Amino acid sequence: FLIVGVIGAAFVAFQWSGPTFDPESLKGARVLVTGASAGIGEQMAYHLAGFGAQVVITARREKVLQQVAEKCQLLGPQKALYIAADMANPSDPERVVKFAVDKLGGLDYLVLNHIGPSPFTMWDGDVEHTRWLMQVNFLSYLQMAKTALPTLKQSKGSIVVVSSLLGKMSSPFVAPYTSTKFALNGFFGTLQHELAMQRSNVSITICILGLIDTDSAMEKVRGITNIQAWPASEAALHIITSGATQQTESYYPWFCYYVCLIRDWFPYFRDMSLRNLYKY
Ligand code: NDP
């Protein structure tokens, strides 16, 4: 407990000494948000609109995107545009970034948030689903980052990657999903090193989220676990402020940091507690 206390105090001190979020910095900022027809992405679109950013939102369902863009307009952004795309299609990630750069005249933030649907069950041996999910949840992120990097270099911009506690520790029922999140953390963690070594002015923020109360997440865990879910709107704001203050890694809710910190200290108890969280 003493060790946890000392490390915790250091972490809190570090957080306090970090840059504070200035909402004005987002006024007119050119932002592309993926997976913005629902859940956390939709909430991010509303926050960004409220801050006066110019947003392009994307997901597969065009009608829903149109409705989200209309709501954004009411909140007062300079621009709220949408483009329908399926990230399972290998040519769509590049097409979306080009659309945003073209319509906004550049890009300041690329917020990579979308995920494809994946079952919350024991792995049934379906390799093809994991291959498909890797394209949607992982490879499309790389494709978008690659296409956006030249323009982000010009604008000293940022890539914000929405990841999960399930990209830091394994847990039952999510084998394909957790694989894609581990891959994201590994890839963008490496890219952070390489950009720093090249003295690049592009920042990468990796956001580690716990359970968030989006419709899709709640539908999956209902009746299986009683883990507390945290509000999507707060999670969305956390992601935006973390990106705007160029944090390398951020955690929401706050205790996810400690979970990651002590995760390997008592592996037997960790695994027992994890399995006991779920009804099976
Ligand atoms: P949702 O399931 O609510 O939303 C997913 C979004 O992705 C939707 O806008 C969906 O729109 C879009 N999408 C789905 N498939 C595709 C596709 N093939 N191509 C393009 N877009 C697609 O997700 P959440 O809001 O719950 O999660 C957002 C992020 O937060 C994810 O990265 C997730 O891993 C992370 N996270 C969420 C947690 C949670 O508990 N909710 C916990 C930890 C992390 P459409 O159907 O119109 O395509």
Side-chain angles (χ1 to χ4, degrees), residues 35-41 58-61 85-88 113-117 132 136 141 162-165 177 181 209-214 216-217:
S37 65
I40 299 167
T58 186
R60 288 167 306 176
R61 290 168 297 160
D86 185 348
M87 295 299 165
N113 165 75
H114 63 275
I115 44 165
W132 174 86
V136 177
Y141 280 44
V162 182
S163 189
S164 167
L165 206 47
Y177 172 79
K181 292 299 185 187
L209 306 183
L211 183 62
I212 309 298
D213 68 359
T214 59
S216 63

PDB file of all heavy atoms in Angstrom, residues 35-41 58-61 85-88 113-117 132 136 141 162-165 177 181 209-214 216-217, ligand 1:
ATOM      1  N   GLY A  35     -16.058   6.558 -36.336  1.00  0.00           N
ATOM      2  CA  GLY A  35     -17.031   5.875 -35.469  1.00  0.00           C
ATOM      3  C   GLY A  35     -17.913   6.874 -34.745  1.00  0.00           C
ATOM      4  O   GLY A  35     -18.234   6.709 -33.565  1.00  0.00           O
ATOM      5  N   ALA A  36     -18.347   7.910 -35.473  1.00  0.00           N
ATOM      6  CA  ALA A  36     -19.046   9.027 -34.815  1.00  0.00           C
ATOM      7  C   ALA A  36     -20.558   9.000 -35.021  1.00  0.00           C
ATOM      8  O   ALA A  36     -21.223   9.993 -34.765  1.00  0.00           O
ATOM      9  CB  ALA A  36     -18.463  10.352 -35.305  1.00  0.00           C
ATOM     10  N   SER A  37     -21.095   7.867 -35.470  1.00  0.00           N
ATOM     11  CA  SER A  37     -22.558   7.795 -35.618  1.00  0.00           C
ATOM     12  C   SER A  37     -23.223   7.357 -34.321  1.00  0.00           C
ATOM     13  O   SER A  37     -24.443   7.399 -34.203  1.00  0.00           O
ATOM     14  CB  SER A  37     -22.929   6.826 -36.744  1.00  0.00           C
ATOM     15  OG  SER A  37     -22.529   5.521 -36.394  1.00  0.00           O
ATOM     16  N   ALA A  38     -22.437   6.901 -33.356  1.00  0.00           N
ATOM     17  CA  ALA A  38     -22.999   6.378 -32.102  1.00  0.00           C
ATOM     18  C   ALA A  38     -21.946   6.447 -31.003  1.00  0.00           C
ATOM     19  O   ALA A  38     -20.776   6.742 -31.268  1.00  0.00           O
ATOM     20  CB  ALA A  38     -23.441   4.925 -32.302  1.00  0.00           C
ATOM     21  N   GLY A  39     -22.389   6.165 -29.786  1.00  0.00           N
ATOM     22  CA  GLY A  39     -21.475   5.965 -28.661  1.00  0.00           C
ATOM     23  C   GLY A  39     -20.535   7.125 -28.380  1.00  0.00           C
ATOM     24  O   GLY A  39     -20.910   8.304 -28.477  1.00  0.00           O
ATOM     25  N   ILE A  40     -19.311   6.792 -28.031  1.00  0.00           N
ATOM     26  CA  ILE A  40     -18.324   7.794 -27.613  1.00  0.00           C
ATOM     27  C   ILE A  40     -17.984   8.742 -28.768  1.00  0.00           C
ATOM     28  O   ILE A  40     -17.820   9.947 -28.574  1.00  0.00           O
ATOM     29  CB  ILE A  40     -17.044   7.084 -27.095  1.00  0.00           C
ATOM     30  CG1 ILE A  40     -17.389   6.214 -25.883  1.00  0.00           C
ATOM     31  CG2 ILE A  40     -15.968   8.093 -26.737  1.00  0.00           C
ATOM     32  CD1 ILE A  40     -16.300   5.235 -25.479  1.00  0.00           C
ATOM     33  N   GLY A  41     -17.902   8.199 -29.986  1.00  0.00           N
ATOM     34  CA  GLY A  41     -17.583   9.031 -31.152  1.00  0.00           C
ATOM     35  C   GLY A  41     -18.628  10.108 -31.375  1.00  0.00           C
ATOM     36  O   GLY A  41     -18.304  11.271 -31.679  1.00  0.00           O
ATOM     37  N   THR A  58     -17.334  10.242 -39.526  1.00  0.00           N
ATOM     38  CA  THR A  58     -17.503   9.102 -40.426  1.00  0.00           C
ATOM     39  C   THR A  58     -17.943   7.848 -39.662  1.00  0.00           C
ATOM     40  O   THR A  58     -17.683   7.714 -38.465  1.00  0.00           O
ATOM     41  CB  THR A  58     -16.206   8.826 -41.228  1.00  0.00           C
ATOM     42  OG1 THR A  58     -16.459   7.808 -42.182  1.00  0.00           O
ATOM     43  CG2 THR A  58     -15.084   8.381 -40.312  1.00  0.00           C
ATOM     44  N   ALA A  59     -18.635   6.989 -40.366  1.00  0.00           N
ATOM     45  CA  ALA A  59     -19.084   5.665 -39.891  1.00  0.00           C
ATOM     46  C   ALA A  59     -19.765   5.039 -41.114  1.00  0.00           C
ATOM     47  O   ALA A  59     -19.687   5.612 -42.213  1.00  0.00           O
ATOM     48  CB  ALA A  59     -20.043   5.784 -38.718  1.00  0.00           C
ATOM     49  N   ARG A  60     -20.460   3.899 -40.947  1.00  0.00           N
ATOM     50  CA  ARG A  60     -21.085   3.295 -42.131  1.00  0.00           C
ATOM     51  C   ARG A  60     -22.464   3.884 -42.428  1.00  0.00           C
ATOM     52  O   ARG A  60     -22.827   4.069 -43.573  1.00  0.00           O
ATOM     53  CB  ARG A  60     -21.236   1.780 -41.924  1.00  0.00           C
ATOM     54  CG  ARG A  60     -19.939   1.005 -41.972  1.00  0.00           C
ATOM     55  CD  ARG A  60     -20.145  -0.395 -41.455  1.00  0.00           C
ATOM     56  NE  ARG A  60     -20.745  -0.381 -40.137  1.00  0.00           N
ATOM     57  CZ  ARG A  60     -21.122  -1.461 -39.461  1.00  0.00           C
ATOM     58  NH1 ARG A  60     -20.977  -2.650 -39.987  1.00  0.00           N
ATOM     59  NH2 ARG A  60     -21.642  -1.356 -38.258  1.00  0.00           N
ATOM     60  N   ARG A  61     -23.253   4.197 -41.397  1.00  0.00           N
ATOM     61  CA  ARG A  61     -24.670   4.562 -41.609  1.00  0.00           C
ATOM     62  C   ARG A  61     -24.811   6.053 -41.938  1.00  0.00           C
ATOM     63  O   ARG A  61     -24.723   6.906 -41.055  1.00  0.00           O
ATOM     64  CB  ARG A  61     -25.489   4.203 -40.371  1.00  0.00           C
ATOM     65  CG  ARG A  61     -25.639   2.694 -40.175  1.00  0.00           C
ATOM     66  CD  ARG A  61     -26.195   2.375 -38.814  1.00  0.00           C
ATOM     67  NE  ARG A  61     -25.300   2.811 -37.739  1.00  0.00           N
ATOM     68  CZ  ARG A  61     -25.676   3.004 -36.480  1.00  0.00           C
ATOM     69  NH1 ARG A  61     -26.932   2.815 -36.132  1.00  0.00           N
ATOM     70  NH2 ARG A  61     -24.810   3.381 -35.566  1.00  0.00           N
ATOM     71  N   ALA A  85     -18.506   5.474 -44.731  1.00  0.00           N
ATOM     72  CA  ALA A  85     -17.416   4.595 -45.163  1.00  0.00           C
ATOM     73  C   ALA A  85     -17.419   3.336 -44.321  1.00  0.00           C
ATOM     74  O   ALA A  85     -17.844   3.361 -43.165  1.00  0.00           O
ATOM     75  CB  ALA A  85     -16.078   5.314 -45.001  1.00  0.00           C
ATOM     76  N   ASP A  86     -16.944   2.258 -44.923  1.00  0.00           N
ATOM     77  CA  ASP A  86     -16.828   0.991 -44.204  1.00  0.00           C
ATOM     78  C   ASP A  86     -15.345   0.661 -44.069  1.00  0.00           C
ATOM     79  O   ASP A  86     -14.664   0.398 -45.068  1.00  0.00           O
ATOM     80  CB  ASP A  86     -17.559  -0.108 -44.990  1.00  0.00           C
ATOM     81  CG  ASP A  86     -17.567  -1.423 -44.234  1.00  0.00           C
ATOM     82  OD1 ASP A  86     -16.830  -1.545 -43.226  1.00  0.00           O
ATOM     83  OD2 ASP A  86     -18.305  -2.333 -44.656  1.00  0.00           O
ATOM     84  N   MET A  87     -14.853   0.675 -42.848  1.00  0.00           N
ATOM     85  CA  MET A  87     -13.411   0.475 -42.627  1.00  0.00           C
ATOM     86  C   MET A  87     -12.979  -0.970 -42.879  1.00  0.00           C
ATOM     87  O   MET A  87     -11.793  -1.272 -42.826  1.00  0.00           O
ATOM     88  CB  MET A  87     -13.033   0.914 -41.206  1.00  0.00           C
ATOM     89  CG  MET A  87     -13.229   2.396 -40.988  1.00  0.00           C
ATOM     90  SD  MET A  87     -12.185   3.369 -42.109  1.00  0.00           S
ATOM     91  CE  MET A  87     -12.944   4.984 -41.949  1.00  0.00           C
ATOM     92  N   ALA A  88     -13.943  -1.840 -43.154  1.00  0.00           N
ATOM     93  CA  ALA A  88     -13.591  -3.201 -43.564  1.00  0.00           C
ATOM     94  C   ALA A  88     -13.121  -3.200 -45.012  1.00  0.00           C
ATOM     95  O   ALA A  88     -12.456  -4.135 -45.467  1.00  0.00           O
ATOM     96  CB  ALA A  88     -14.791  -4.127 -43.412  1.00  0.00           C
ATOM     97  N   ASN A 113     -11.406   6.090 -33.565  1.00  0.00           N
ATOM     98  CA  ASN A 113     -12.290   5.630 -32.490  1.00  0.00           C
ATOM     99  C   ASN A 113     -13.177   4.439 -32.877  1.00  0.00           C
ATOM    100  O   ASN A 113     -13.638   3.704 -32.018  1.00  0.00           O
ATOM    101  CB  ASN A 113     -13.164   6.841 -32.090  1.00  0.00           C
ATOM    102  CG  ASN A 113     -14.354   6.461 -31.269  1.00  0.00           C
ATOM    103  OD1 ASN A 113     -14.216   6.163 -30.072  1.00  0.00           O
ATOM    104  ND2 ASN A 113     -15.540   6.461 -31.879  1.00  0.00           N
ATOM    105  N   HIS A 114     -13.414   4.225 -34.181  1.00  0.00           N
ATOM    106  CA  HIS A 114     -14.408   3.227 -34.596  1.00  0.00           C
ATOM    107  C   HIS A 114     -13.988   1.798 -34.210  1.00  0.00           C
ATOM    108  O   HIS A 114     -12.799   1.490 -34.117  1.00  0.00           O
ATOM    109  CB  HIS A 114     -14.611   3.291 -36.123  1.00  0.00           C
ATOM    110  CG  HIS A 114     -13.372   2.957 -36.877  1.00  0.00           C
ATOM    111  ND1 HIS A 114     -12.397   3.892 -37.168  1.00  0.00           N
ATOM    112  CD2 HIS A 114     -12.909   1.786 -37.398  1.00  0.00           C
ATOM    113  CE1 HIS A 114     -11.412   3.301 -37.833  1.00  0.00           C
ATOM    114  NE2 HIS A 114     -11.706   2.020 -37.984  1.00  0.00           N
ATOM    115  N   ILE A 115     -14.994   0.954 -34.017  1.00  0.00           N
ATOM    116  CA  ILE A 115     -14.759  -0.496 -33.864  1.00  0.00           C
ATOM    117  C   ILE A 115     -15.878  -1.236 -34.577  1.00  0.00           C
ATOM    118  O   ILE A 115     -17.023  -0.784 -34.579  1.00  0.00           O
ATOM    119  CB  ILE A 115     -14.742  -0.966 -32.382  1.00  0.00           C
ATOM    120  CG1 ILE A 115     -15.882  -0.335 -31.579  1.00  0.00           C
ATOM    121  CG2 ILE A 115     -13.404  -0.758 -31.733  1.00  0.00           C
ATOM    122  CD1 ILE A 115     -16.143  -1.024 -30.250  1.00  0.00           C
ATOM    123  N   GLY A 116     -15.537  -2.360 -35.145  1.00  0.00           N
ATOM    124  CA  GLY A 116     -16.553  -3.208 -35.753  1.00  0.00           C
ATOM    125  C   GLY A 116     -17.215  -4.063 -34.687  1.00  0.00           C
ATOM    126  O   GLY A 116     -16.619  -4.324 -33.644  1.00  0.00           O
ATOM    127  N   PRO A 117     -18.454  -4.494 -34.925  1.00  0.00           N
ATOM    128  CA  PRO A 117     -19.127  -5.345 -33.945  1.00  0.00           C
ATOM    129  C   PRO A 117     -18.413  -6.686 -33.772  1.00  0.00           C
ATOM    130  O   PRO A 117     -17.918  -7.251 -34.735  1.00  0.00           O
ATOM    131  CB  PRO A 117     -20.526  -5.548 -34.547  1.00  0.00           C
ATOM    132  CG  PRO A 117     -20.518  -4.955 -35.902  1.00  0.00           C
ATOM    133  CD  PRO A 117     -19.251  -4.191 -36.113  1.00  0.00           C
ATOM    134  N   TRP A 132     -11.080 -10.207 -40.090  1.00  0.00           N
ATOM    135  CA  TRP A 132     -11.932  -9.086 -40.506  1.00  0.00           C
ATOM    136  C   TRP A 132     -11.833  -7.931 -39.499  1.00  0.00           C
ATOM    137  O   TRP A 132     -11.675  -6.764 -39.856  1.00  0.00           O
ATOM    138  CB  TRP A 132     -13.383  -9.582 -40.643  1.00  0.00           C
ATOM    139  CG  TRP A 132     -14.380  -8.507 -40.914  1.00  0.00           C
ATOM    140  CD1 TRP A 132     -14.720  -7.994 -42.125  1.00  0.00           C
ATOM    141  CD2 TRP A 132     -15.174  -7.799 -39.943  1.00  0.00           C
ATOM    142  NE1 TRP A 132     -15.673  -7.011 -41.979  1.00  0.00           N
ATOM    143  CE2 TRP A 132     -15.965  -6.872 -40.647  1.00  0.00           C
ATOM    144  CE3 TRP A 132     -15.288  -7.857 -38.557  1.00  0.00           C
ATOM    145  CZ2 TRP A 132     -16.865  -6.012 -40.009  1.00  0.00           C
ATOM    146  CZ3 TRP A 132     -16.176  -7.003 -37.924  1.00  0.00           C
ATOM    147  CH2 TRP A 132     -16.953  -6.095 -38.652  1.00  0.00           C
ATOM    148  N   VAL A 136     -10.778  -3.805 -39.563  1.00  0.00           N
ATOM    149  CA  VAL A 136     -11.637  -2.701 -39.118  1.00  0.00           C
ATOM    150  C   VAL A 136     -11.006  -1.955 -37.938  1.00  0.00           C
ATOM    151  O   VAL A 136     -10.887  -0.721 -37.960  1.00  0.00           O
ATOM    152  CB  VAL A 136     -13.036  -3.220 -38.717  1.00  0.00           C
ATOM    153  CG1 VAL A 136     -13.909  -2.084 -38.193  1.00  0.00           C
ATOM    154  CG2 VAL A 136     -13.718  -3.907 -39.897  1.00  0.00           C
ATOM    155  N   TYR A 141      -6.793   1.865 -38.932  1.00  0.00           N
ATOM    156  CA  TYR A 141      -6.188   2.954 -38.135  1.00  0.00           C
ATOM    157  C   TYR A 141      -4.816   3.310 -38.728  1.00  0.00           C
ATOM    158  O   TYR A 141      -4.459   4.478 -38.846  1.00  0.00           O
ATOM    159  CB  TYR A 141      -6.007   2.527 -36.674  1.00  0.00           C
ATOM    160  CG  TYR A 141      -7.251   2.603 -35.796  1.00  0.00           C
ATOM    161  CD1 TYR A 141      -8.492   2.153 -36.228  1.00  0.00           C
ATOM    162  CD2 TYR A 141      -7.175   3.098 -34.500  1.00  0.00           C
ATOM    163  CE1 TYR A 141      -9.616   2.206 -35.407  1.00  0.00           C
ATOM    164  CE2 TYR A 141      -8.293   3.166 -33.668  1.00  0.00           C
ATOM    165  CZ  TYR A 141      -9.512   2.704 -34.121  1.00  0.00           C
ATOM    166  OH  TYR A 141     -10.612   2.760 -33.303  1.00  0.00           O
ATOM    167  N   VAL A 162      -8.227   5.746 -29.686  1.00  0.00           N
ATOM    168  CA  VAL A 162      -9.088   5.309 -28.587  1.00  0.00           C
ATOM    169  C   VAL A 162      -8.869   3.811 -28.371  1.00  0.00           C
ATOM    170  O   VAL A 162      -9.195   2.990 -29.229  1.00  0.00           O
ATOM    171  CB  VAL A 162     -10.569   5.616 -28.866  1.00  0.00           C
ATOM    172  CG1 VAL A 162     -11.421   5.177 -27.669  1.00  0.00           C
ATOM    173  CG2 VAL A 162     -10.762   7.109 -29.131  1.00  0.00           C
ATOM    174  N   SER A 163      -8.272   3.494 -27.236  1.00  0.00           N
ATOM    175  CA  SER A 163      -7.988   2.097 -26.922  1.00  0.00           C
ATOM    176  C   SER A 163      -8.734   1.703 -25.638  1.00  0.00           C
ATOM    177  O   SER A 163      -9.658   2.398 -25.224  1.00  0.00           O
ATOM    178  CB  SER A 163      -6.476   1.885 -26.810  1.00  0.00           C
ATOM    179  OG  SER A 163      -6.201   0.507 -26.703  1.00  0.00           O
ATOM    180  N   SER A 164      -8.300   0.626 -25.045  1.00  0.00           N
ATOM    181  CA  SER A 164      -9.094   0.044 -23.962  1.00  0.00           C
ATOM    182  C   SER A 164      -8.182  -0.614 -22.939  1.00  0.00           C
ATOM    183  O   SER A 164      -7.048  -1.021 -23.254  1.00  0.00           O
ATOM    184  CB  SER A 164     -10.022  -1.009 -24.580  1.00  0.00           C
ATOM    185  OG  SER A 164     -10.585  -1.813 -23.593  1.00  0.00           O
ATOM    186  N   LEU A 165      -8.710  -0.756 -21.732  1.00  0.00           N
ATOM    187  CA  LEU A 165      -8.043  -1.556 -20.709  1.00  0.00           C
ATOM    188  C   LEU A 165      -7.832  -2.973 -21.246  1.00  0.00           C
ATOM    189  O   LEU A 165      -6.892  -3.659 -20.881  1.00  0.00           O
ATOM    190  CB  LEU A 165      -8.954  -1.584 -19.469  1.00  0.00           C
ATOM    191  CG  LEU A 165      -8.340  -1.807 -18.098  1.00  0.00           C
ATOM    192  CD1 LEU A 165      -7.127  -0.947 -17.861  1.00  0.00           C
ATOM    193  CD2 LEU A 165      -9.389  -1.577 -17.019  1.00  0.00           C
ATOM    194  N   TYR A 177     -11.527  -8.910 -30.067  1.00  0.00           N
ATOM    195  CA  TYR A 177     -11.484  -7.471 -29.760  1.00  0.00           C
ATOM    196  C   TYR A 177     -10.190  -7.101 -29.033  1.00  0.00           C
ATOM    197  O   TYR A 177      -9.502  -6.136 -29.380  1.00  0.00           O
ATOM    198  CB  TYR A 177     -12.711  -7.114 -28.907  1.00  0.00           C
ATOM    199  CG  TYR A 177     -12.718  -5.716 -28.347  1.00  0.00           C
ATOM    200  CD1 TYR A 177     -13.074  -4.633 -29.143  1.00  0.00           C
ATOM    201  CD2 TYR A 177     -12.379  -5.466 -27.015  1.00  0.00           C
ATOM    202  CE1 TYR A 177     -13.093  -3.340 -28.617  1.00  0.00           C
ATOM    203  CE2 TYR A 177     -12.398  -4.181 -26.489  1.00  0.00           C
ATOM    204  CZ  TYR A 177     -12.751  -3.119 -27.293  1.00  0.00           C
ATOM    205  OH  TYR A 177     -12.772  -1.847 -26.772  1.00  0.00           O
ATOM    206  N   LYS A 181      -6.953  -4.411 -29.854  1.00  0.00           N
ATOM    207  CA  LYS A 181      -6.550  -3.301 -28.979  1.00  0.00           C
ATOM    208  C   LYS A 181      -5.097  -3.450 -28.522  1.00  0.00           C
ATOM    209  O   LYS A 181      -4.371  -2.464 -28.424  1.00  0.00           O
ATOM    210  CB  LYS A 181      -7.501  -3.197 -27.775  1.00  0.00           C
ATOM    211  CG  LYS A 181      -8.917  -2.755 -28.155  1.00  0.00           C
ATOM    212  CD  LYS A 181      -8.934  -1.366 -28.799  1.00  0.00           C
ATOM    213  CE  LYS A 181     -10.312  -0.839 -29.078  1.00  0.00           C
ATOM    214  NZ  LYS A 181     -10.329   0.420 -29.833  1.00  0.00           N
ATOM    215  N   LEU A 209      -9.483   3.223 -21.988  1.00  0.00           N
ATOM    216  CA  LEU A 209     -10.801   3.369 -21.354  1.00  0.00           C
ATOM    217  C   LEU A 209     -11.236   2.095 -20.634  1.00  0.00           C
ATOM    218  O   LEU A 209     -10.958   0.996 -21.099  1.00  0.00           O
ATOM    219  CB  LEU A 209     -11.865   3.708 -22.404  1.00  0.00           C
ATOM    220  CG  LEU A 209     -11.634   4.916 -23.316  1.00  0.00           C
ATOM    221  CD1 LEU A 209     -12.842   5.105 -24.226  1.00  0.00           C
ATOM    222  CD2 LEU A 209     -11.375   6.174 -22.507  1.00  0.00           C
ATOM    223  N   GLY A 210     -11.948   2.295 -19.527  1.00  0.00           N
ATOM    224  CA  GLY A 210     -12.637   1.188 -18.851  1.00  0.00           C
ATOM    225  C   GLY A 210     -14.013   1.024 -19.481  1.00  0.00           C
ATOM    226  O   GLY A 210     -14.276   1.541 -20.580  1.00  0.00           O
ATOM    227  N   LEU A 211     -14.914   0.351 -18.775  1.00  0.00           N
ATOM    228  CA  LEU A 211     -16.251   0.108 -19.342  1.00  0.00           C
ATOM    229  C   LEU A 211     -17.042   1.419 -19.408  1.00  0.00           C
ATOM    230  O   LEU A 211     -17.180   2.122 -18.410  1.00  0.00           O
ATOM    231  CB  LEU A 211     -17.001  -0.921 -18.491  1.00  0.00           C
ATOM    232  CG  LEU A 211     -18.384  -1.326 -19.016  1.00  0.00           C
ATOM    233  CD1 LEU A 211     -18.288  -1.987 -20.396  1.00  0.00           C
ATOM    234  CD2 LEU A 211     -19.076  -2.267 -18.028  1.00  0.00           C
ATOM    235  N   ILE A 212     -17.559   1.718 -20.590  1.00  0.00           N
ATOM    236  CA  ILE A 212     -18.290   2.967 -20.833  1.00  0.00           C
ATOM    237  C   ILE A 212     -19.731   2.604 -21.230  1.00  0.00           C
ATOM    238  O   ILE A 212     -19.950   1.647 -21.986  1.00  0.00           O
ATOM    239  CB  ILE A 212     -17.613   3.781 -21.966  1.00  0.00           C
ATOM    240  CG1 ILE A 212     -16.104   3.952 -21.693  1.00  0.00           C
ATOM    241  CG2 ILE A 212     -18.302   5.124 -22.155  1.00  0.00           C
ATOM    242  CD1 ILE A 212     -15.728   4.701 -20.451  1.00  0.00           C
ATOM    243  N   ASP A 213     -20.681   3.445 -20.797  1.00  0.00           N
ATOM    244  CA  ASP A 213     -22.099   3.057 -20.923  1.00  0.00           C
ATOM    245  C   ASP A 213     -22.707   3.297 -22.314  1.00  0.00           C
ATOM    246  O   ASP A 213     -23.849   3.751 -22.409  1.00  0.00           O
ATOM    247  CB  ASP A 213     -22.936   3.761 -19.845  1.00  0.00           C
ATOM    248  CG  ASP A 213     -23.021   5.276 -20.068  1.00  0.00           C
ATOM    249  OD1 ASP A 213     -22.419   5.788 -21.029  1.00  0.00           O
ATOM    250  OD2 ASP A 213     -23.723   5.943 -19.281  1.00  0.00           O
ATOM    251  N   THR A 214     -21.991   2.977 -23.373  1.00  0.00           N
ATOM    252  CA  THR A 214     -22.595   3.116 -24.710  1.00  0.00           C
ATOM    253  C   THR A 214     -23.601   1.976 -24.917  1.00  0.00           C
ATOM    254  O   THR A 214     -23.479   0.911 -24.298  1.00  0.00           O
ATOM    255  CB  THR A 214     -21.520   3.063 -25.818  1.00  0.00           C
ATOM    256  OG1 THR A 214     -20.835   1.816 -25.737  1.00  0.00           O
ATOM    257  CG2 THR A 214     -20.501   4.176 -25.653  1.00  0.00           C
ATOM    258  N   SER A 216     -23.999  -0.112 -27.312  1.00  0.00           N
ATOM    259  CA  SER A 216     -23.432  -1.378 -27.801  1.00  0.00           C
ATOM    260  C   SER A 216     -22.717  -2.131 -26.684  1.00  0.00           C
ATOM    261  O   SER A 216     -22.846  -3.353 -26.565  1.00  0.00           O
ATOM    262  CB  SER A 216     -22.492  -1.130 -28.975  1.00  0.00           C
ATOM    263  OG  SER A 216     -21.399  -0.359 -28.560  1.00  0.00           O
ATOM    264  N   ALA A 217     -21.989  -1.418 -25.826  1.00  0.00           N
ATOM    265  CA  ALA A 217     -21.262  -2.085 -24.732  1.00  0.00           C
ATOM    266  C   ALA A 217     -22.242  -2.637 -23.698  1.00  0.00           C
ATOM    267  O   ALA A 217     -22.096  -3.777 -23.229  1.00  0.00           O
ATOM    268  CB  ALA A 217     -20.287  -1.108 -24.080  1.00  0.00           C
TER     269      ALA A 217
HETATM  270  P1  NDP B   1     -19.966   1.880 -30.548  1.00  0.00           P
HETATM  271  O1  NDP B   1     -20.179   0.443 -30.876  1.00  0.00           O
HETATM  272  O2  NDP B   1     -20.997   2.584 -29.760  1.00  0.00           O
HETATM  273  O3  NDP B   1     -19.732   2.690 -31.885  1.00  0.00           O
HETATM  274  C1  NDP B   1     -18.908   2.160 -32.881  1.00  0.00           C
HETATM  275  C2  NDP B   1     -18.844   3.151 -34.012  1.00  0.00           C
HETATM  276  O4  NDP B   1     -18.054   2.576 -35.052  1.00  0.00           O
HETATM  277  C3  NDP B   1     -20.199   3.476 -34.590  1.00  0.00           C
HETATM  278  O5  NDP B   1     -20.252   4.812 -34.982  1.00  0.00           O
HETATM  279  C4  NDP B   1     -20.285   2.565 -35.803  1.00  0.00           C
HETATM  280  O6  NDP B   1     -21.152   3.176 -36.740  1.00  0.00           O
HETATM  281  C5  NDP B   1     -18.828   2.566 -36.269  1.00  0.00           C
HETATM  282  N1  NDP B   1     -18.488   1.382 -37.054  1.00  0.00           N
HETATM  283  C6  NDP B   1     -18.806   0.090 -36.796  1.00  0.00           C
HETATM  284  N2  NDP B   1     -18.336  -0.709 -37.766  1.00  0.00           N
HETATM  285  C7  NDP B   1     -17.722   0.094 -38.663  1.00  0.00           C
HETATM  286  C8  NDP B   1     -17.072  -0.136 -39.905  1.00  0.00           C
HETATM  287  N3  NDP B   1     -16.944  -1.368 -40.415  1.00  0.00           N
HETATM  288  N4  NDP B   1     -16.569   0.928 -40.581  1.00  0.00           N
HETATM  289  C9  NDP B   1     -16.691   2.177 -40.092  1.00  0.00           C
HETATM  290  N5  NDP B   1     -17.294   2.463 -38.920  1.00  0.00           N
HETATM  291  C10 NDP B   1     -17.801   1.425 -38.214  1.00  0.00           C
HETATM  292  O7  NDP B   1     -18.527   1.965 -29.813  1.00  0.00           O
HETATM  293  P2  NDP B   1     -18.159   2.709 -28.460  1.00  0.00           P
HETATM  294  O8  NDP B   1     -18.581   4.120 -28.561  1.00  0.00           O
HETATM  295  O9  NDP B   1     -18.621   1.884 -27.317  1.00  0.00           O
HETATM  296  O10 NDP B   1     -16.564   2.637 -28.483  1.00  0.00           O
HETATM  297  C11 NDP B   1     -15.803   3.667 -29.074  1.00  0.00           C
HETATM  298  C12 NDP B   1     -14.341   3.390 -28.805  1.00  0.00           C
HETATM  299  O11 NDP B   1     -14.117   3.296 -27.401  1.00  0.00           O
HETATM  300  C13 NDP B   1     -13.835   2.090 -29.422  1.00  0.00           C
HETATM  301  O12 NDP B   1     -12.555   2.253 -29.928  1.00  0.00           O
HETATM  302  C14 NDP B   1     -13.826   1.144 -28.240  1.00  0.00           C
HETATM  303  O13 NDP B   1     -12.898   0.109 -28.386  1.00  0.00           O
HETATM  304  C15 NDP B   1     -13.432   2.095 -27.125  1.00  0.00           C
HETATM  305  N6  NDP B   1     -13.813   1.578 -25.829  1.00  0.00           N
HETATM  306  C16 NDP B   1     -15.137   1.463 -25.518  1.00  0.00           C
HETATM  307  C17 NDP B   1     -15.498   0.924 -24.308  1.00  0.00           C
HETATM  308  C18 NDP B   1     -16.917   0.767 -23.909  1.00  0.00           C
HETATM  309  O14 NDP B   1     -17.165   0.153 -22.842  1.00  0.00           O
HETATM  310  N7  NDP B   1     -17.890   1.305 -24.654  1.00  0.00           N
HETATM  311  C19 NDP B   1     -14.480   0.456 -23.329  1.00  0.00           C
HETATM  312  C20 NDP B   1     -13.141   0.650 -23.776  1.00  0.00           C
HETATM  313  C21 NDP B   1     -12.826   1.191 -24.979  1.00  0.00           C
HETATM  314  P3  NDP B   1     -21.870   2.419 -37.954  1.00  0.00           P
HETATM  315  O15 NDP B   1     -22.580   1.244 -37.381  1.00  0.00           O
HETATM  316  O16 NDP B   1     -22.781   3.473 -38.494  1.00  0.00           O
HETATM  317  O17 NDP B   1     -20.795   2.052 -38.908  1.00  0.00           O
END
